[in-house]
C-alpha cells in the first residue's frame, strides 16, 4: 500500500508509466523500501542494480582510498550517496567528490567536482545513459573504472550532443591503462594511478 503522503499523478487517457520525483524516491528510501538494495532514480524511473560482486566492491574501495588521498582535507568523497541532478534524477553514483564538509549541510548535493562509476557488468550503461545524465548535470569530470578491462575512461567538457539519448555528452573522452596516471580537474597536482583503482 502506498504511504499516504506520497502522491502519484492522476491517470487520464491511455495507460502510461508513472514517474517518481526525487522527493518521493527519497521518502521511499526513508521508509526502508530499498533496504539492502542498490536503487537509483533515473529520469523518474526507479532502477535497481544487482548485487555487488567482489571485483566491483574491491575497485570501489580502492578508488575511494585513492581519491581521498588525492583530494585531502576540504573535500568529501561520498560513496553511493544521493546526488540530485534534477527533480526526477538521483543516480547515487559509486563515488562523488564534493567540496566542503558534511557538517552543517541540510540538503543533498546537486553537483560534484568529480563523479566516478565502477563498471563491471554495467559498462555500456555507464558510458551511455549515465554519461549523458552527468553531462546534462554539468559534471565537469566523469570517470568510469572499467574493472574487466583494467582501464579508466575519463569524460570531460560536458555539452549538448544530439547523438546522445538525453541530448548531452562530453567533448573529451580518453582511455587510460594501468601504467597511466590522471589528475582530477579539481586536484590538478594530485595524479591518481589507474593501477591504484583496479584490483
Amino acid at each position: 500500500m502506498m504511504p499516504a503522503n506520497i502522491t502519484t499523478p492522476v491517470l487520464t487517457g491511455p495507460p502510461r508509466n508513472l514517474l517518481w520525483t526525487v522527493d518521493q524516491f527519497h521518502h521511499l528510501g526513508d521508509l526502508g523500501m530499498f533496504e539492502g538494495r542498490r536503487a537509483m532514480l533515473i529520469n523518474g524511473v526507479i532502477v535497481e542494480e544487482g548485487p555487488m560482486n567482489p571485483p566491483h566492491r574491491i575497485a570501489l574501495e580502492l578508488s575511494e582510498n585513492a581519491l581521498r588521498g588525492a583530494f585531502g582535507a576540504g573535500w568529501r568523497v561520498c560513496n553511493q550517496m544521493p546526488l540530485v541532478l534534477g527533480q526526477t534524477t538521483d543516480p547515487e553514483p559509486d563515488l562523488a567528490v564534493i567540496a566542503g564538509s558534511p557538517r552543517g549541510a541540510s540538503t543533498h548535493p546537486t553537483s560534484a567536482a568529480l563523479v566516478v562509476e565502477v563498471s563491471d557488468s554495467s559498462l555500456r550503461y555507464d558510458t551511455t545513459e549515465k554519461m549523458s545524465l552527468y553531462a546534462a548535470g554539468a559534471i565537469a569530470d566523469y570517470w568510469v573504472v572499467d574493472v574487466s578491462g583494467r582501464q579508466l575512461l575519463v569524460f570531460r567538457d560536458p555539452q549538448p550532443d544530439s547523438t546522445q539519448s538525453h541530448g548531452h555528452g562530453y567533448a573529451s573522452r580518453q582511455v587510460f591503462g594501468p601504467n597511466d596516471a590522471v589528475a582530477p580537474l579539481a586536484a590538478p597536482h594530485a595524479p591518481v594511478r589507474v593501477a591504484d583503482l583496479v584490483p
Side-chain angles (χ1 to χ4, degrees):
M1 181 176 183
M2 176 109 20
N5 56 347
I6 291 185
T7 59
T8 57
V10 176
L11 288 177
T12 57
R16 61 187 173 90
N17 292 333
L18 296 178
L19 301 180
W20 299 89
T21 67
V22 166
D23 288 342
Q24 292 168 332
F25 173 64
H26 289 167
H27 185 70
L28 290 174
D30 292 342
L31 294 174
M33 300 288 240
F34 309 123
E35 190 68 36
R37 296 153 72 184
R38 298 168 60 209
M40 57 188 150
L41 185 69
I42 306 295
N43 292 321
V45 178
I46 297 173
V47 178
E48 186 175 357
E49 294 184 294
M52 189 181 298
N53 63 31
H56 185 122
R57 182 196 58 77
I58 294 166
L60 178 57
E61 191 173 355
L62 290 171
S63 298
E64 183 176 3
N65 290 342
L67 293 179
R68 286 190 191 284
F71 280 87
W75 293 92
R76 303 158 59 187
V77 180
C78 301
N79 184 327
Q80 297 184 335
M81 295 182 187
L83 178 65
V84 177
L85 297 180
Q87 292 187 343
T88 60
T89 299
D90 177 3
E92 299 204 358
D94 282 324
L95 297 169
V97 181
I98 299 159
S101 166
R103 192 171 303 282
S106 59
T107 60
H108 293 304
T110 57
S111 188
L114 171 65
V115 165
V116 178
E117 293 289 0
V118 175
S119 294
D120 40 15
S121 60
S122 62
L123 184 62
R124 184 179 181 282
Y125 187 68
D126 290 335
T127 57
T128 55
E129 296 293 319
K130 272 201 170 177
M131 181 270 294
S132 186
L133 288 175
Y134 292 130
I139 302 299
D141 209 2
Y142 172 47
W143 294 6
V144 177
V145 177
D146 176 4
V147 176
S148 299
R150 301 197 80 245
Q151 61 186 4
L152 177 68
L153 313 177
V154 174
F155 299 86
R156 290 174 171 165
D157 192 11
Q159 56 188 246
D161 182 350
S162 60
T163 65
Q164 295 298 322
S165 60
H166 298 293
H168 287 81
Y170 286 88
S172 172
R173 305 173 188 202
Q174 296 178 286
V175 180
F176 298 92
N179 296 324
D180 298 323
V182 184
L185 290 177
H189 303 296
V192 175
R193 294 173 60 240
V194 176
D196 291 339
L197 307 177
V198 292

